[in-house]
Amino acid sequence: MDKVRIFDTTLRDGEQSPGASLSVDEKLVIAHQLAKLKVDIIEAGFPIASQGDFEAVSLVAARVRGPVICGLARALPKDIERAAEALKAAERRRIHVFLATSKIHMEKKLKKSEAEVLEGAAAGVALARRFTDDVEFSPEDASRTEPEFLCRVVEAAIEAGAGTINIPDTVGYAMPDEFGERIRMLLARVPAFDRAVLSVHCHNDLGLAVANSLAAVQAGARQVECTINGLGERAGNASLEEVVMGLRVRQQHFGAGTGIASQEIWNTSRLVANLTGIEVQRNKAIVGLNAFSHEAGIHQHGVISDRETYEIMRPEDVGWMGHTLVIGKHSGVHAVKEVLKTRGYALQAEALREVTRRVKEVADREKQIEEEDIVAIARDVMSDLSSDEQSITLEELSVMTGSRITPCAVVKLKVGGKESVCTSIGVGPVDAAARALRTAVDPDLRLVEYGLKAITGGTNALAHASIRFEDTAGRQFVGDAVGEDVIVTSVAAMVKGANRAVNARRREQSAGAQSAAQAGGGND
Ligand code: KIV
Ligand code: ZN
């Protein structure tokens, strides 16, 4: 059986999903879970892209053991050096260099000739090899690249020292038969592939990312790049769980398999959904809530007499838990810890105590609470205890609303240690509170998204509020919170988002001051 390596890019391409942004601590939690899932490579970020990405890649490199840790870089010295710096503490590190090779990208985006791109690719790989023996090269938009030129670039990258060549279908344009054919063509026409692994990276714009990835494996690719829940730029990337289970269920067909611990799939999927706030659609293959439910009577009858009548894999093979009712007010830290463990969360003692305290508080009123409630509370506690500095705290909130009155809110905050009280009217109480909060923090911060959902149960359910702020530079900051009162919870989510905006601004100012000081030092 040939091994197909699984290269997980949830923390890089996945985080480019519109709406998914993760803190450094959240990325570390996911990376630990990916190691448990036994992915071969974790692409932890794009270190030159932002200070946050650099920190996340550095932290994952320093703390996560097992998989190779990878950082993305354009074929530019400053990108490659930054990636190398971030990956310094990794046990095994990979630098992933990319450069576009399709006519449209070379002409319109890079404004470079074929000769320049060829030279840039080889130079980028050669520079990356000075920092690590494990270098991957991607000709971006490979599926729309002229075949002859693609062969030449790939050959040059392998000659320069790339051990993995990744063929991206960057815009999700390929059809499975032609993509498979392209992989066969490359393997046949580039003899240097006897020294390099051929990888694929497919986007899902036409819903074909998994089909294209599997067609590529059939044609000889031995690494697949994918993400948990299929997250990724635009319509996403190939979903890891679908690729892995496709290869597992149809192992004989492919003559190849992965080293993935498939029983960790469900936990990983839930963890990523919870931390990114991007829910999995109910009928999604493998990890959707309906994936193993049988509704029609005829199906139920079949499954009862022999599950293989309608099931091609067992729910336990992917660690599927379904819904389980769990905990009451007499449950203690151990029960809460157990529940969280099965969902991929390993909390420190302090956080665990706080989660248990809040779980009991809710259980006191509601008798029993469900697994989803516990996970939501844990997430909330984790984000409260995360390293994000809380320079804004909510001291008091009161709202007045009803029929035939204009809703209004009074918000008392501490901003950088100073007390600030603001009032506002609004369309509803949440809107009024949001307006008051923005007046106190930053009137230019726009609330561009607001979501509220009951986690489980009815009108006494815990509420999960999520918000997204945008500043004048177009940067977005998310915040979410869990609680029993929808208005207080919504404002708590806004306070978290506002803290992120303030912290980002502060980090930028201190990076600016640092580089000014360095520039000053250089002139001495
Ligand atoms: O889609 C793409 O082409 C990419 C590359 C950076 C591999 O994400
Ligand atoms: Zn991509």
Side-chain angles (χ1 to χ4, degrees):
M1 227 17 106
D2 267 9
K3 166 133 189 228
V4 175
R5 297 176 195 181
I6 295 296
F7 175 114
D8 181 278
T9 182
T10 307
L11 299 179
R12 198 278 297 169
D13 215 324
E15 210 222 1
Q16 288 172 220
S17 293
S21 103
L22 296 161
S23 70
V24 171
D25 293 341
E26 289 168 337
K27 285 187 182 175
L28 183 63
V29 171
I30 292 177
H32 278 301
Q33 179 60 28
L34 291 172
K36 222 164 145 192
L37 182 66
K38 294 201 182 329
V39 305
D40 298 283
I41 302 111
I42 295 175
E43 187 165 52
F46 188 4
I48 195 88
S50 69
Q51 180 61 21
D53 255 42
F54 178 83
E55 281 168 21
V57 176
S58 310
L59 195 65
V60 171
R63 301 268 185 87
V64 178
R65 294 290 172 254
V68 171
I69 309 300
C70 175
L72 183 68
R74 289 168 299 181
L76 297 172
K78 62 175 180 183
D79 281 39
I80 294 166
E81 283 155 14
R82 191 80 173 139
E85 175 70 23
L87 291 166
K88 249 180 7 205
E91 192 177 44
R92 292 184 296 153
R93 66 192 71 95
R94 172 179 296 189
I95 300 179
H96 177 187
V97 179
F98 74 101
L99 184 58
T101 51
S102 63
K103 227 178 173 56
I104 182 166
H105 277 234
M106 290 191 297
E107 276 176 25
K108 301 278 160 56
K109 186 181 83 175
L110 300 174
K111 309 209 184 318
K112 281 192 186 332
S113 66
E114 283 193 350
E116 286 170 314
V117 166
L118 205 59
E119 199 187 311
V125 170
L127 176 60
R129 275 298 300 263
R130 302 225 314 245
F131 300 103
T132 172
D133 288 344
D134 187 348
V135 174
E136 169 169 329
F137 176 74
S138 289
E140 191 190 6
D141 205 14
S143 55
R144 294 194 300 170
T145 295
E146 198 269 312
E148 184 62 40
F149 182 56
L150 186 60
C151 290
R152 283 167 55 212
V153 177
V154 162
E155 176 112 50
I158 301 175
E159 292 304 338
T164 305
I165 297 293
N166 178 47
I167 303 300
D169 180 24
T170 302
V171 291
Y173 177 75
M175 289 291 137
D177 57 344
E178 68 181 3
F179 195 60
E181 212 26 70
R182 183 154 286 235
I183 301 306
R184 265 185 213 101
M185 178 280 289
L186 282 166
L187 289 171
R189 284 177 51 183
V190 180
F193 266 120
D194 61 1
R195 276 171 280 148
V197 173
L198 194 152
S199 165
V200 290
H201 173 115
C202 298
H203 278 271
N204 205 31
D205 299 67
L206 293 172
L208 293 170
V210 171
N212 283 335
S213 304
L214 293 177
V217 170
Q218 190 78 316
R222 286 298 174 261
Q223 175 179 291
V224 175
E225 302 200 354
C226 42
T227 57
I228 302 297
N229 300 338
L231 291 180
E233 185 79 37
R234 303 181 312 279
N237 288 67
S239 121
L240 179 146
E241 53 279 6
E242 293 175 26
V243 169
V244 165
M245 291 313 287
L247 289 173
R248 182 175 158 146
V249 170
R250 301 300 307 274
Q251 206 170 52
Q252 300 306 324
H253 178 79
F254 289 101
T258 72
I260 291 294
S262 67
Q263 65 286 359
E264 290 295 329
I265 283 178
W266 174 261
N267 284 342
T268 317
S269 164
R270 294 310 311 155
L271 179 69
V272 169
N274 283 328
L275 292 183
T276 56
I278 299 185
E279 269 308 324
V280 173
Q281 78 194 51
R282 288 188 83 90
N283 62 335
K284 160 123 178 35
I286 319 292
V287 290
L289 278 175
N290 290 356
F292 295 95
S293 307
H294 301 277
E295 179 69 22
I298 196 163
H299 287 207
Q300 288 172 347
H301 179 226
V303 171
I304 289 164
S305 41
D306 183 343
R307 63 197 291 171
E308 285 187 18
T309 49
Y310 286 100
E311 278 184 7
I312 56 167
M313 58 198 143
R314 295 174 308 163
E316 53 271 33
D317 291 343
V318 299
W320 194 84
M321 304 282 179
H323 308 276
T324 40
L325 202 57
V326 247
I327 249 157
K329 65 178 170 187
H330 302 297
S331 312
V333 169
H334 293 298
V336 171
K337 185 177 174 186
E338 239 356 82
V339 171
L340 290 174
K341 204 167 115 199
T342 62
R343 297 289 293 264
Y345 291 85
L347 267 63
Q348 300 295 324
E350 183 199 353
L352 202 57
R353 270 195 302 277
E354 177 59 11
V355 175
T356 310
R357 189 192 65 71
R358 283 185 54 185
V359 165
K360 279 169 176 278
E361 201 175 272
V362 178
D364 256 347
R365 284 188 285 275
E366 297 192 13
K367 291 197 180 65
Q368 273 179 320
I369 67 169
E370 296 183 26
E371 196 172 301
E372 289 302 328
D373 296 316
I374 297 170
V375 171
I377 292 171
R379 275 196 60 207
D380 203 37
V381 169
M382 280 161 70
S383 68
D384 280 346
L385 296 177
S386 82
S387 60
D388 267 357
E389 202 189 319
Q390 318 253 319
S391 51
I392 306 166
T393 51
L394 179 67
E395 301 291 302
E396 282 173 25
L397 166 71
S398 61
V399 293
M400 198 155 60
T401 189
S403 110
R404 293 171 194 270
I405 73 160
T406 305
C408 66
V410 183
V411 175
K412 192 202 252 183
L413 298 168
K414 265 215 178 119
V415 183
K418 271 206 233 136
E419 208 161 82
S420 169
V421 183
C422 283
T423 58
S424 181
I425 56 167
V427 176
V430 173
D431 184 47
R435 285 166 191 260
L437 181 125
R438 283 168 41 225
T439 313
V441 176
D442 176 0
D444 289 333
L445 221 45
R446 279 190 324 122
L447 184 67
V448 290
E449 211 176 282
Y450 168 66
L452 185 67
K453 83 174 185 204
I455 296 163
T456 50
T459 49
N460 61 351
L462 278 184
H464 176 213
S466 54
I467 62 97
R468 180 179 300 275
F469 280 131
E470 190 174 276
D471 68 8
T472 44
R475 290 173 310 181
Q476 302 205 340
F477 306 96
V478 293
D480 65 347
V482 169
E484 287 159 290
D485 182 308
V486 293
I487 299 169
V488 177
T489 306
S490 301
V491 175
M494 290 180 216
V495 169
K496 284 187 189 170
N499 266 311
R500 287 195 169 141
V502 168
N503 290 342
R505 205 165 303 151
R506 190 171 302 144
R507 272 198 299 270
E508 239 175 50
Q509 278 162 358
S510 84
Q514 245 174 34
S515 58
Q518 274 162 8
N523 288 337
D524 283 344

